[in-house]
Amino acid sequence: MIGVLIVSHGQLAAGLLDAVKVIMGAPTQTATLALNQGDSIERLRAQILQQIQLLNDGAGVIIVTDLYAASPYSQTIANHTELANLKIPYKIFTGANLSMLIEIFHQRLLHINLDEMTSKILQAGKNGVREFFTELRHYPAERRKSND
């Protein structure tokens, strides 16, 4: 089974995983890491590598970070050489949101491999970001009136 590691600033990763548990139940082979104020990014890098190794059973690991180019992301990609040497298959997704995580766990339940999951995860992450009034314009006026 593909392992899942969520890495964020503060407790965002734990909160996202908690929300997944509410919706889908507690997923196995999953971990979170937090970078808190004053934490060492070098220590975070080591923790990320350690967790990836623990989560990998041969199927690979998906790492989800909160913000592109920020410390959780940069310390994840800093492990690229070690992960390549260990021959651990992995994908890194950034811009974490609940839609993306639900899709990851859904695809994992279907036993979809890492490469096949990628486009679905990216699409779910993008589709999960909406603005109410923009969406309202796409909703037929006659249906809006019938709901009033």
Side-chain angles (χ1 to χ4, degrees), residues 129-140:
V129 178
R130 305 286 178 112
E131 191 280 322
F132 172 73
F133 290 105
T134 302
E135 293 303 309
L136 187 62
R137 284 194 291 268
H138 300 292
Y139 198 65

Side-chain angles (χ1 to χ4, degrees), residues 37-129:
Q37 183 109 22
D39 286 354
S40 160
I41 61 170
E42 292 81 13
R43 182 166 181 250
L44 178 65
R45 177 183 176 184
Q47 290 174 321
I48 291 168
L49 181 60
Q50 179 183 28
Q51 282 298 320
I52 291 170
Q53 289 174 295
L54 291 171
L55 291 168
N56 182 47
D57 66 3
V61 178
I62 291 174
I63 306 101
V64 180
T65 68
D66 57 353
L67 188 62
Y68 178 73
S71 296
Y73 178 81
S74 66
Q75 294 310 298
T76 301
I77 64 172
N79 284 304
H80 172 71
T81 301
E82 290 91 340
L83 293 170
N85 290 338
L86 293 167
K87 297 184 179 4
I88 297 176
Y90 69 97
K91 296 282 185 179
I92 304 169
F93 296 91
T94 191
N97 65 40
L98 189 54
S99 298
M100 176 188 291
L101 289 168
I102 296 294
E103 188 64 30
I104 288 168
F105 291 112
H106 175 74
Q107 292 297 311
R108 193 172 79 163
L109 285 171
L110 298 173
H111 305 288
I112 306 298
N113 72 42
L114 279 173
D115 290 328
E116 293 174 6
M117 282 186 183
T118 299
S119 64
K120 291 178 175 140
I121 294 167
L122 289 171
Q123 194 61 50
K126 291 175 186 173
N127 287 345
V129 178

Side-chain angles (χ1 to χ4, degrees), residues 21-42:
K21 290 175 185 176
V22 170
I23 296 167
M24 300 182 78
T28 58
Q29 210 169 325
T30 303
T32 64
L33 289 171
L35 177 65
N36 293 302
Q37 183 109 22
D39 286 354
S40 160
I41 61 170
E42 292 81 13

